[in-house]
Amino acid sequence: MNPTTARTTVGIIGGGPAGLLLARLLHRAGVDSVVLERCDRAYVEQRQRAGILEQATVDVLREVGAGERMDHEGLVHHGIELRFDGRAHRIDFPGLACGRSVMVYAQTEVVKDLIALQLAQGGPLLFEAEVSRVTGTDTDSPVIHYRHEGQDRTLACDAVVGCDGFHGVARNVFDGPRVFERTYPYSWLGILADAPPSYDELIYAHSERGFALASMRTPTVSRLYLQVPNGTDPASWSDGQIWDELDFRVATKMNRGAIMQKSVLPMRSFVSEPMRSGSLYLAGDAAHIVPPTGAKGLNLAITDVVVLARALAHRQATGETALLDSYSADSLRRVWRAEHFSYFMTSTLHTAPDQSPFETRLQLAQLDRIASSPHAAAELAENYTGLPLRP
């Protein structure tokens, strides 16, 4: 056989958490796959992204054998705290969301765990494999064209799954998708600090000077965010200014330490419909992006591939395509629910540049409603911890 050509059942473009988990789920179901990742392993394992895992994400990682280190090092959180208008109100997740909770465990660590499993037990995982195009998606035998180890190669598949993000190749194969998007008039200045958190659970703070989020990576490392104008240069904020502003917005004297990393994260919502084109399927950021306020991005990608893995395994076992045929519609219902929740959290907690006092009072009224109504608090808790997947 020509070494530059190969065949598999499912070709997966992108070796982030979605692509790696999909490969793991398919392997356990007896479905062959190959993962093509354009970056090297070191880069993939260091990409900083989300760190809040929903209950369903935690459960599936345990199910596929990627839960041992997560359960040892991850931090289980049973609630969050809302701070606004001089008040603090805790949202009790288990009490309001049928016992569910979330876990703080960085995406970098999820990726490391899944890579180790894939290399030890799964199918091929090729790093530095640059995909140039996908052809034949209108047939039952699509082909991925890529370059690896200095050679142009092809991978013939029964199905291709694009887990390669917003700027990846897979999304651009679609012919005339419907695109829905919103760009928010503010960004997040995020820092990673060598300082133990000043709090046991995440704090979401609404203030007259903008939003702040107090989070953590480990018991000794804090992950903190400030709302800033779009286009902000992170170097324009000194360490002292950052700590002083966090103290004011969170209304807590923060534990201070060396700031190891500063970055600015733009805020946007994006959905591309449909999530399927013939034998090509999209998952994760290739199909949708949410602002980080609701902690949905990674979790939404995970639920995409859980649903898709079931459908692909079902087709191999039975020859039936009904689950694959409904993948896009089923996923988009869940995507739009997450988009709405993320929009709600973002618009309720942030201060727009041209915001009027009337709009601020509406925000405070909504936050007061959550603090005073178990029904409103339960709606937030259920969405934050993750709505259960349908069977």
Side-chain angles (χ1 to χ4, degrees):
M1 184 180 72
N2 187 330
T4 62
T5 65
R7 179 167 186 85
T8 191
T9 303
V10 181
I12 302 171
I13 307 174
L20 292 167
L21 178 62
L22 176 59
R24 183 69 182 155
L25 290 165
L26 293 175
H27 175 75
R28 288 168 58 85
V31 180
D32 295 333
S33 70
V34 174
V35 181
L36 304 174
E37 167 56 48
R38 69 179 181 85
C39 299
D40 63 33
R41 180 176 179 178
Y43 180 87
V44 173
E45 292 185 340
Q46 293 170 10
R47 282 189 291 215
Q48 292 290 336
R49 295 290 190 274
I52 305 295
L53 308 183
E54 292 177 358
Q55 184 71 63
T57 298
V58 170
D59 292 343
V60 75
L61 289 172
R62 288 172 177 154
E63 177 188 331
V64 302
E68 182 176 353
R69 197 163 66 93
M70 173 187 69
D71 285 331
H72 179 69
E73 300 178 11
L75 306 174
V76 177
H77 282 207
H78 298 293
I80 59 173
E81 188 172 291
L82 299 177
R83 294 196 177 181
F84 62 97
D85 200 25
R87 301 168 57 188
H89 178 77
R90 182 176 182 270
I91 304 295
D92 172 29
F93 289 160
L96 294 165
C98 301
R100 296 197 299 276
S101 59
V102 299
M103 182 177 289
V104 175
Y105 189 62
Q107 177 173 314
T108 51
E109 307 313 301
V110 173
V111 168
K112 289 174 187 176
D113 296 341
L114 290 171
I115 286 176
L117 278 172
Q118 183 71 7
L119 294 177
Q121 304 174 12
L125 165 57
L126 306 183
F127 293 104
E128 299 180 87
E130 184 77 31
V131 175
S132 58
R133 67 189 194 279
V134 182
T135 58
T137 57
D138 57 346
T139 73
D140 293 331
S141 300
V143 177
I144 303 173
H145 303 258
Y146 67 102
R147 189 169 183 82
H148 185 243
E149 296 180 337
Q151 286 189 305
D152 292 326
R153 303 168 184 262
T154 60
L155 179 65
C157 321
D158 295 336
V160 176
V161 182
C163 301
D164 51 343
F166 179 79
H167 297 290
V169 170
R171 189 174 70 84
N172 295 320
V173 176
F174 277 53
D175 182 22
R178 297 186 67 194
V179 171
F180 305 85
E181 56 187 326
R182 176 186 179 88
T183 300
Y184 294 84
Y186 32 72
S187 301
W188 278 8
L189 171 64
I191 68 165
L192 201 64
D194 187 14
S198 308
Y199 35 83
D200 295 325
E201 296 174 334
L202 274 65
I203 298 173
Y204 285 76
H206 174 287
S207 84
E208 62 190 57
R209 299 214 299 241
F211 170 76
L213 171 59
S215 180
M216 68 281 290
R217 278 291 177 263
T218 71
T220 60
V221 176
S222 295
R223 185 66 164 154
L224 305 157
Y225 300 93
L226 289 170
Q227 176 189 338
V228 294
N230 287 341
T232 293
D233 178 359
S236 67
W237 282 74
S238 71
D239 292 5
Q241 286 175 312
I242 291 172
W243 288 117
D244 289 346
E245 192 65 16
L246 284 164
D247 285 350
F248 176 84
R249 296 192 195 182
V250 180
T252 292
K253 191 68 175 176
M254 310 295 287
N255 291 331
R256 300 192 177 195
I259 294 179
M260 302 178 289
Q261 184 185 96
K262 297 179 190 177
S263 60
V264 170
L265 176 66
M267 309 279 283
R268 62 189 303 240
S269 299
F270 170 87
V271 180
S272 179
E273 297 185 0
M275 292 173 60
R276 176 189 182 182
S277 178
S279 51
L280 171 63
Y281 304 82
L282 298 182
D285 285 359
H288 44 74
I289 294 173
V290 291
T293 325
K296 295 293 112 181
L298 169 62
N299 296 290
L300 202 52
I302 294 300
T303 50
D304 283 347
V305 298
V306 168
V307 172
L308 187 52
R310 289 177 183 170
L312 289 164
H314 183 72
R315 182 179 69 174
Q316 176 158 302
T318 67
E320 297 177 358
T321 64
L323 295 182
L324 279 174
D325 294 340
S326 66
Y327 166 71
S328 179
D330 290 345
S331 295
L332 284 168
R333 279 194 291 272
R334 187 181 62 257
V335 166
W336 280 112
R337 174 87 294 277
E339 290 283 357
H340 182 269
F341 176 67
S342 300
Y343 169 80
F344 165 77
M345 291 287 285
T346 303
S347 59
T348 301
L349 290 164
H350 290 72
T351 303
D354 58 349
Q355 184 162 304
S356 68
F358 178 83
E359 291 168 312
T360 299
R361 296 302 296 175
L362 290 179
Q363 290 177 320
L364 295 174
Q366 180 60 55
L367 290 166
D368 180 69
R369 167 70 176 166
I370 294 169
S372 59
S373 166
H375 300 290
E379 177 71 9
L380 191 156
E382 288 174 355
N383 280 276
Y384 195 100
T385 57
L387 300 175
L389 285 171
R390 296 193 307 167

